[in-house]
């Protein structure tokens, strides 16, 4: 029996350049903190090794402090053995990166720079397929057919796509889906896909231990793998920052503020969450305006918050437009914006801008009249 922790895609040094500076710094620090959380997850699960299946670093030239801090963090977890595989973001083509790792690596880190089998423990062999470049163009996991002594546990460690994850139909990718069976592997640990995925009982993507976007709804985790004749896999949560999309489909008669309040997470959790609110359907102008104001009021509670009301059509009753003005230039402007918001000949972006402007005009009129 042998037990280890499978993780991948830490992407240390990821810039998160489209986000404000304050949350960028927190996201980068959360990724660095994943190293200690992985070590603790391994300990708690009775594992002495963490296998990192590629893309430990986000780029082939990470900043010197990013690399140094990562190596020192692994060194600090001296009771854990780290196995680090090059991925497509930090492939072997980054010769300077892997030279620096080799010269500065702590004794408990093994950087894999060749497909040669690696003895992880007596009777336990890792068969690695390090990425030679960003797009190798062939199935590097063929090297996992290398012979090992009889009776050894054979663990494949690779990085890349079994399917083209960008396509809805799952176009055939590079790594053979039955690689574990072909090469007599007890387990195939894969990286590249940032969400947890079971390919088959002996082949898994662990996903990233710390989320970096809204694409994957499941909590970020590592996989605690026990090999004892079969592969038993247990997800262990490791994420510290959450990414959540909140969707509201609204119709006239709904209470948008109550719906929003029920959909948002509790106050105690909000600081460590990035939330994207997406509202669809249609609402009266007054309710739409109130929903937008409530979303803006809640935003500072979160690590980061955005709201998208572009899919929410506006119904304006006469009394709603009267709330802006009963006549004159403001009334004419409101009627023009309402017409643009519902004009099917305009683009979705133009309709959304008009609806947002109408909502803002209504809110402004309410403030002035208060």
């Amino acid at each position: 029996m042998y037990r280890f922790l499978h993780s991948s895609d830490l992407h240390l040094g990821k810039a998160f350049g489209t986000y404000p500076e304050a949350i960028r710094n927190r996201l980068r620090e959360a990724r660095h903190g994943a190293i200690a959380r992985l070590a603790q997850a391994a300990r708690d699960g009775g594992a002495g090794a963490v296998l990192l299946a590629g893309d430990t670093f986000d780029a082939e030239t990470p900043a010197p402090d990013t690399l140094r801090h990562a190596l020192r963090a692994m060194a600090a977890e001296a009771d854990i053995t780290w196995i680090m595989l090059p991925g497509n973001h930090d492939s072997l083509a980054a010769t300077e990166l892997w030279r620096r790792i080799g010269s500065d690596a702590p004794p408990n880190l093994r950087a894999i720079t060749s497909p040669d089998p690696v003895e992880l423990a007596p009777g336990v062999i890792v068969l690695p397929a390090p990425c030679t470049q960003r797009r190798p163009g062939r199935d590097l996991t063929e090297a996992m057919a290398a012979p090992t002594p009889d009776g050894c546990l054979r663990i494949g460690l690779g990085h890349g796509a079994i399917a083209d994850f960008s396509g809805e139909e799952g176009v055939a990718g590079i790594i053979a889906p039955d690689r574990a069976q072909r090469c007599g592997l007890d387990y195939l640990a894969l990286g590249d896909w940032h969400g947890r995925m079971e390919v088959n009982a002996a082949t898994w993507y662990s996903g990233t231990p710390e989320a970096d976007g809204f694409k994957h709804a499941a909590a970020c985790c590592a996989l605690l793998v026990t090999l004892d004749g079969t592969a038993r896999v247990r997800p262990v949560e490791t994420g510290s920052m959450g990414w959540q999309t909140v969707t509201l489909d609204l119709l006239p008669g709904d209470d948008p503020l109550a719906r929003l309040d029920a959909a948002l997470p509790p106050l105690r959790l909000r600081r460590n969450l990035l939330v994207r609110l997406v509202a669809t359907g249609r609402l009266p102008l007054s309710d739409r305006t109130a929903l937008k104001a409530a979303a803006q009021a809640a935003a500072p509670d979160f690590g980061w918050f955005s709201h998208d009301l572009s899919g929410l059509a506006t119904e304006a009753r006469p009394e709603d437009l009267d709330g802006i003005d009963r006549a004159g230039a403001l009334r004419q402007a409101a009627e023009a914006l309402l017409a643009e918001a519902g004009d099917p000949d305009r683009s979705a972006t133009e309709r959304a801008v008009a609806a947002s402007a109408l909502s803002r005009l209504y809110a402004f009129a309410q403030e002035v009249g208060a």
Side-chain angles (χ1 to χ4, degrees), residues 199-335:
V199 179
N200 54 57
T203 304
W204 286 71
Y205 286 93
S206 65
T208 177
E210 184 67 39
D212 56 7
F214 293 99
K215 188 172 186 177
H216 303 286
C220 287
C221 68
L223 300 178
L224 186 67
V225 182
T226 302
L227 302 179
D228 56 1
T230 60
R232 292 188 286 116
V233 179
R234 179 166 67 87
V236 181
E237 288 193 23
T238 54
S240 65
M241 300 289 290
W243 300 64
Q244 184 175 339
T245 298
V246 173
T247 58
L248 295 177
D249 190 26
L250 300 164
L251 290 173
D254 290 339
D255 183 341
L257 302 190
R259 291 279 303 279
L260 177 64
D261 186 62
L264 291 179
L267 286 172
R268 67 180 184 278
L269 302 178
R270 294 185 180 184
R271 185 177 182 274
N272 291 330
L273 286 177
L274 291 87
V275 168
R276 180 177 60 183
L277 170 66
V278 179
T280 58
R282 67 184 191 279
L283 282 179
L285 176 58
S286 57
D287 286 348
R288 189 186 195 280
T289 302
L291 176 63
K292 183 175 181 179
Q296 292 172 333
D301 296 340
F302 294 88
W304 180 87
F305 185 95
S306 75
H307 62 276
D308 178 4
L309 307 187
S310 61
L312 186 62
T314 302
E315 288 188 356
R317 298 166 297 196
E319 59 266 30
D320 291 329
L321 295 187
D322 288 347
I324 295 175
D325 206 345
R326 294 182 178 274
L330 282 181
R331 178 60 177 244
Q332 292 175 2
E335 290 175 346

Side-chain angles (χ1 to χ4, degrees), residues 38-59:
L38 288 171
Q40 191 58 50
R43 283 189 206 98
D44 292 344
V50 177
L51 275 58
L52 300 175
D55 285 359
T56 301
F57 298 96
D58 189 58

Side-chain angles (χ1 to χ4, degrees), residues 318-361:
E319 59 266 30
D320 291 329
L321 295 187
D322 288 347
I324 295 175
D325 206 345
R326 294 182 178 274
L330 282 181
R331 178 60 177 244
Q332 292 175 2
E335 290 175 346
L337 289 171
L338 179 61
E340 291 179 15
D343 185 353
D345 293 332
R346 293 181 177 273
S347 69
T349 299
E350 289 174 323
R351 294 196 302 271
V353 169
S356 179
L358 180 60
S359 178
R360 182 170 296 187
L361 181 60

